[in-house]
């Protein structure tokens, strides 16, 4: 990474470090770099979690179209159900375009990456609200024992970290510096 690239990275990482959720809590340290690179790639993130060992919570980053909040207000202002439906469809198209962009990155990431299906990153849809990048095994934390949950969240975080390094290489044009695509 060049000095200019390091500066860009550190500036955005500091900006992510200043973000707060509705309870005033900062972005979890385990997911800061993922949120940072997604924002550098022009994804609008609105919530995230680094995963937790003390309670059932898998890592995720929620994202949506930058127009999402305005789109949702526009839907509420519709005077007829037909107009509301049309506006919802338009908002969903905006979010779907963002999803399509992220799926392109995931597709390239998994071209030569051989990992168990449970470990793979996926996007869960929430229609008008947006999407969530998480792992295929995200819901398993709810039925895992504490020890199993620790191992599961660790593997999930590793997959996020590998994807983050891939995205950094994509953004900065340093694909030769990307981590090995094999597990």
């Amino acid at each position: 990474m060049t000095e200019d690239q390091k500066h860009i990275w550190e500036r955005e990482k500091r900006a992510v470090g200043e973000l707060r959720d509705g309870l005033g809590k900062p972005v979890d340290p385990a997911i800061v770099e993922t949120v940072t690179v997604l924002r550098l790639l022009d994804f609008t993130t609105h919530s995230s979690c680094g995963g937790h060992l003390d309670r059932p919570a898998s890592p995720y980053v929620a994202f949506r179209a930058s127009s999402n909040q305005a789109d949702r207000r526009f839907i509420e202002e519709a005077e007829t159900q037909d107009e509301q439906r049309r506006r919802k469809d338009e908002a969903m198209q905006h979010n779907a375009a963002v999803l399509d962009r992220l799926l392109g990155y995931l597709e390239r990431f998994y071209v030569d990456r051989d990992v168990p299906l449970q470990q793979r990153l996926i996007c869960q849809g929430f229609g008008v609200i947006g999407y969530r990048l998480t792992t295929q095994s995200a819901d398993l934390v709810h039925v895992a024992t504490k020890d199993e949950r620790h191992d599961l969240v660790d593997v999930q975080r590793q997959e996020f970290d590998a994807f983050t390094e891939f995205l950094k290489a994509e953004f900065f044009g340093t694909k030769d510096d990307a981590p090995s695509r094999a597990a």
Side-chain angles (χ1 to χ4, degrees), residues 38-88:
L38 286 170
R39 290 169 53 100
L40 284 171
L41 289 165
D42 205 25
F43 286 92
T44 301
T45 63
H46 61 91
S47 65
S48 61
C49 178
H52 295 277
L53 304 178
D54 60 337
R55 63 186 189 276
S58 289
Y60 75 87
V61 178
F63 61 98
R64 60 187 175 202
S66 59
S67 63
N68 189 266
Q69 289 179 314
D71 287 345
R72 289 169 70 185
R73 279 192 302 275
F74 194 54
I75 292 166
E76 291 173 8
E77 295 168 357
E79 294 183 13
T80 67
Q81 285 188 334
D82 285 343
E83 183 65 16
Q84 187 177 48
R85 239 186 320 273
R86 188 188 67 71
R87 290 177 182 188
K88 278 184 180 178

Side-chain angles (χ1 to χ4, degrees), residues 14-52:
R14 275 192 305 276
V16 168
E18 293 174 11
L19 296 174
R20 297 293 180 265
D21 67 12
L23 301 173
K25 293 183 179 181
V27 174
D28 290 345
I31 204 80
V32 163
E33 291 206 357
T34 305
V35 172
T36 300
V37 74
L38 286 170
R39 290 169 53 100
L40 284 171
L41 289 165
D42 205 25
F43 286 92
T44 301
T45 63
H46 61 91
S47 65
S48 61
C49 178
H52 295 277

